[in-house]
Amino acid sequence: MSLPLPIPVDSSLLPTHFDHDLYHLKDNSPLQNGHHEEAKRRSVALVASEALPNSPEHSEAVLQLDCIPEDIWREIFFHCQSESSRTHLNLSAAPLLLTRVCRKWKSIAIRAPELWTSIPYDISTFQMPISSPPNQGRIYPKKINYEGLTGRGKMLNDWLDRSGMLPISIALGAQGLPLSYRVPQTILDFIHRVTTRDFAPRICSLEVSTTKSPQLYIGFMKLSADDFPNLREITVDKALNIDAGIFHAPRLRKVSIGELPTESESKKISWDALLKQWVRLQHLHIGTPIPEERVFQILGFHHLTECSLTFRGAGTYTTRRISSPNLESLSLSEENMSFFPYEYLDIPALTTLKLKLLGRRNIDNPMLSLLPRINALNKLDLNIERLMHAEECMYSQTLEAFRAIPGLRHLVLHLPSMYCGYESQSSREMVLSLANPRPVRLKEGLEPFNVLPELQILEFIGEIDVLLARYFQNIVIQRLNPNRRDIATLKHISATLATPISVWNRTISEAITLKIRHHIKWAGIECHVDLKDQWVPVY
C-alpha cells in the first residue's frame, strides 16, 4: 500500500537568513568559518519550528488538498487496500491505518462502506508466555490477554457498522484459542449479529472453521438455505453436517470442504439432493475421499471450471461419456486401486491436471487414455505412489503418454520417499528420469522421440539425495544444451537436495550447483535454478 507522502520541501520556502548555511550543508561544500554544527542546529530548529507550515506556499498546498472531493479520496482509499483476499485487524494496513492519519481521513474512511465489506480473517489471541523460572527446561502454557481480545471484538462490531448495507465477506477465526476458553462478550455480540436471518442475506462469501470459530460455525448451521439468497462462496475446514441449509444456498458457485463427516456418517448424506443443488457450481474442492460414482456426477457439471477430488474406488464402472466442457483445472487422487473410466472423460478445455495415481502392473496407465485427448494441457502435476511393484509398466506407459503431449510447458514430479528402504531407490530413479529429454524408442519400428521438448518449468517435489544428484545434474544440463535448441527451453528448475551428512556429500552438492550455474551462463540460456538445501544457498 502506498500512502501520500509529505509535500517536498522547496528551498524557496526557507527563511533567507538560513539560506547560505543550508546551501553549503546540502552539497557538502565547506561552510564559511567552519560553522558545520551551527548549520545543522539551525536546520533542526527550522524543521522543529512552524516556519514552514505557516508559510503561504504551504498553506496553499494544504488548501488544494482540502479542495479534493470526498469521492476522489474514497477512490484513492479503496486502492490502498491489500491485494490479498484475506484482510486482518491490522492497525498498520488499510483500512484501519487510514483512520489514524488525520481527522479528515478518518471521517472519510468511516463514511466509505466499500472499505469495510471484508471482515478480517484472523483475530490475534494476544497470547503471551507466562513468566517461568530460568533454566527449568519446562514449557509453560501461554496466557491469553482477555482485554486485548475484547478490544478486537469491539473493532469487529465497528467494522460491521461501517459496512452499511453492502454485501459482505466473512472469514473469521481465532488462532490458538482453546474451545473451553470464555469468549469475550464483544465477540459473542458480533457472532449473534451476523448469524441472524436479518443479516444472512448480505453475506456473499463465507469462510469458517469448526476449530477456530466453532460458535460462528454452529450459528450458521442453524439457518436455512433460504436465509442465504446471495451466498456464492463457502469454505469450511470440516463439514459436520453437509445437509445443513448453508450448503444448499441457491446461488452457490464455489464450495471448498476440507473434511467430510466420518465414513459411517457420510453414508447418511443425501448425495442426490446435494449434487442437484450444486449442479451450477464453478469451483469445487473436497479433501476427503468420496464414492467413485459421485465423482462421475460431479465431473458432469457443465459450469465447472476448477475441481479437486479424492475418490474411493468400489468396482463401479461406467461406459457413459462424462463431459465437462468448461473445466480448466482438475485434481484427481486415488485412495485405492480403481477402474475409473478415464477413457470416457471429455475435458477439452483443461489446462492444468494434477493426478495422484497408484502403481499398476496388470492394467493400463490411466494417462494413456486421458492425456492424448487434452489438447490444451499446459501443466501436469504427477504423483505415482506404490510404484516399486509396477515400475517398468508404469514407466514405459507414462513416457508413451508424454509422447502425446509434446507441447506441455510445466511438469511437476513427486519423488517417492527416500525413507522407504532400498527397494524405493529404483522407483525414485525412474520418476526422476521421466524428465530426461533424451530420445526414447518405446517399441521396435517406432521412431525415437524427445521427451517433452517444449518444457519450460520443471519442479521436483521430494528430496533428491546424493545417489540421485548425478541423475538430476545430467537432466538439467541436457535440457540446457545450447547445441539442442529443440529441447533447450527451460526457464525455471526447482528441487530440494537432501541435507548432506558429511563434508564429502556437501562437496557434491556444491559442485552440482556450481556446474549448473556455469552451464547456464555458457549456454546463454535465461533460466532460474532454485535448489533448496541447508548447505547450498538459494540463488
Side-chain angles (χ1 to χ4, degrees):
M1 180 189 72
S2 299
L3 293 176
L5 297 175
I7 302 174
V9 178
D10 189 339
S11 60
S12 65
L13 304 182
L14 300 177
T16 54
H17 60 282
F18 287 149
D19 282 354
H20 181 72
D21 287 345
L22 291 180
Y23 173 81
H24 288 282
L25 187 66
K26 181 178 179 180
D27 69 354
N28 296 320
S29 58
L31 294 175
Q32 290 184 359
N33 303 322
H35 291 168
H36 290 81
E37 294 301 321
E38 178 62 13
K40 291 180 180 179
R41 185 190 67 78
R42 290 182 180 182
S43 65
V44 172
L46 172 65
V47 174
S49 71
E50 295 188 358
L52 180 60
N54 290 335
S55 65
E57 291 84 355
H58 181 268
S59 299
E60 182 179 354
V62 172
L63 184 60
Q64 291 177 355
L65 291 177
D66 287 338
C67 293
I68 296 178
E70 182 172 320
D71 57 337
I72 300 297
W73 280 118
R74 289 169 65 161
E75 185 71 18
I76 294 172
F77 289 174
F78 181 79
H79 290 285
C80 285
Q81 296 183 100
S82 171
E83 295 180 358
S84 172
S85 59
R86 291 181 173 181
T87 55
H88 298 261
L89 288 175
N90 187 353
L91 296 175
S92 301
L96 290 176
L97 177 61
L98 301 173
T99 66
R100 295 162 55 85
V101 176
C102 64
R103 282 178 292 181
K104 179 175 181 178
W105 281 26
K106 179 178 181 179
S107 176
I108 295 173
I110 289 177
R111 294 198 305 270
E114 63 273 13
L115 298 179
W116 310 93
T117 57
S118 180
I119 299 294
Y121 173 70
D122 243 353
I123 301 175
S124 171
T125 52
F126 294 90
Q127 292 189 3
M128 298 179 296
I130 300 175
S131 57
S132 58
N135 303 323
Q136 293 297 314
R138 296 178 60 189
I139 299 177
Y140 285 80
K142 292 183 177 181
K143 180 180 179 181
I144 296 176
N145 187 329
Y146 188 83
E147 293 183 0
L149 198 55
T150 300
R152 292 284 166 156
K154 184 179 183 302
M155 291 173 64
L156 281 176
N157 284 283
D158 291 341
W159 199 296
L160 203 57
D161 292 335
R162 295 170 185 176
S163 66
M165 296 302 296
L166 294 180
I168 200 164
S169 300
I170 297 177
L172 183 63
Q175 181 67 40
L177 192 64
L179 294 179
S180 59
Y181 186 75
R182 182 168 60 92
V183 179
Q185 187 60 44
T186 53
I187 294 182
L188 291 177
D189 291 342
F190 169 81
I191 293 174
H192 176 72
R193 291 179 64 183
V194 299
T195 55
T196 60
R197 290 181 175 176
D198 293 335
F199 185 88
R202 288 183 55 194
I203 302 176
C204 61
S205 176
L206 180 63
E207 181 177 344
V208 290
S209 168
T210 59
T211 55
K212 294 182 181 180
S213 50
Q215 296 87 355
L216 191 68
Y217 181 88
I218 293 171
F220 283 125
M221 292 302 109
K222 294 179 180 179
L223 301 178
S224 67
D226 294 336
D227 294 326
F228 297 97
N230 298 306
L231 183 64
R232 300 182 65 86
E233 300 181 8
I234 181 169
T235 300
V236 296
D237 58 349
K238 186 174 183 179
L240 299 179
N241 179 15
I242 202 170
D243 288 327
I246 196 168
F247 296 107
H248 294 258
R251 299 188 65 188
L252 270 182
R253 295 296 179 267
K254 181 178 181 179
V255 175
S256 179
I257 300 173
E259 293 182 37
L260 288 173
T262 60
E263 185 173 354
S264 60
E265 295 174 342
S266 63
K267 294 179 181 178
K268 304 175 184 178
I269 296 176
S270 304
W271 279 106
D272 291 331
L274 183 65
L275 297 185
K276 183 178 180 180
Q277 188 63 49
W278 284 0
V279 72
R280 299 187 68 83
L281 284 184
Q282 296 173 351
H283 302 263
L284 177 61
H285 166 80
I286 300 178
T288 51
I290 63 175
E292 197 173 40
E293 63 270 19
R294 301 305 175 184
V295 178
F296 303 160
Q297 293 178 258
I298 291 172
L299 293 181
F301 295 169
H302 284 199
H303 298 277
L304 207 59
T305 60
E306 183 177 330
C307 184
S308 176
L309 300 172
T310 299
F311 59 89
R312 181 172 52 249
T316 306
Y317 195 78
T318 179
T319 57
R320 178 178 59 87
R321 302 214 68 84
I322 305 169
S323 177
S324 193
N326 297 305
L327 190 61
E328 298 176 357
S329 177
L330 174 63
S331 174
L332 289 177
S333 300
E334 296 180 340
E335 186 191 46
N336 57 359
M337 190 65 67
S338 69
F339 296 93
F340 190 85
Y342 292 94
E343 64 269 27
Y344 293 106
L345 188 59
D346 295 331
I347 41 179
L350 197 72
T351 59
T352 301
L353 176 63
K354 182 175 182 180
L355 289 176
K356 182 179 179 182
L357 305 173
L358 301 180
R360 290 162 164 80
R361 177 178 295 176
N362 299 322
I363 59 177
D364 286 341
N365 187 327
M367 290 185 288
L368 278 177
S369 58
L370 180 60
L371 296 189
R373 296 183 294 107
I374 309 177
N375 297 325
L377 191 63
N378 181 65
K379 177 181 179 181
L380 175 62
D381 187 316
L382 183 60
N383 184 2
I384 304 177
E385 293 191 344
R386 307 178 195 173
L387 183 60
M388 64 184 66
H389 301 300
E391 292 170 351
E392 291 294 341
C393 178
M394 287 294 286
Y395 176 74
S396 60
Q397 290 184 355
T398 300
L399 287 178
E400 190 173 345
F402 282 0
R403 182 176 188 173
I405 50 171
L408 191 74
R409 299 290 196 275
H410 189 168
L411 177 64
V412 181
L413 292 175
H414 295 252
L415 300 173
S417 173
M418 59 185 293
Y419 303 107
C420 294
Y422 292 105
E423 293 182 2
S424 69
Q425 186 63 28
S426 60
S427 299
R428 290 164 55 78
E429 292 176 3
M430 282 194 172
V431 171
L432 192 67
S433 63
L434 287 174
N436 196 321
R438 81 272 181 229
V440 173
R441 187 192 300 273
L442 293 175
K443 297 178 182 178
E444 289 295 331
L446 293 180
E447 290 293 325
F449 69 97
N450 295 320
V451 178
L452 304 178
E454 299 181 24
L455 200 63
Q456 296 182 359
I457 302 175
L458 178 59
E459 299 181 56
F460 293 100
I461 307 298
E463 293 182 337
I464 296 177
D465 56 13
V466 175
L467 297 177
L468 292 181
R470 296 298 183 190
Y471 287 93
F472 173 72
Q473 172 185 293
N474 291 336
I475 289 172
V476 173
I477 290 179
Q478 286 187 61
R479 289 228 171 246
L480 297 175
N481 187 349
N483 298 321
R484 292 294 309 278
R485 293 296 179 181
D486 55 333
I487 60 174
T489 56
L490 273 187
K491 295 183 178 179
H492 181 90
I493 308 162
S494 176
T496 300
L497 298 182
T499 305
I501 57 176
S502 67
V503 175
W504 181 75
N505 289 349
R506 176 183 176 183
T507 302
I508 291 179
S509 299
E510 291 177 342
I512 291 174
T513 304
L514 186 62
K515 188 169 184 178
I516 292 174
R517 294 179 66 181
H518 284 176
H519 189 80
I520 292 173
K521 182 177 180 180
W522 172 69
I525 297 172
E526 191 173 328
C527 180
H528 174 74
V529 180
D530 183 14
L531 297 182
K532 301 180 180 66
D533 185 280
Q534 75 172 35
W535 296 106
V536 183
V538 177
Y539 58 88

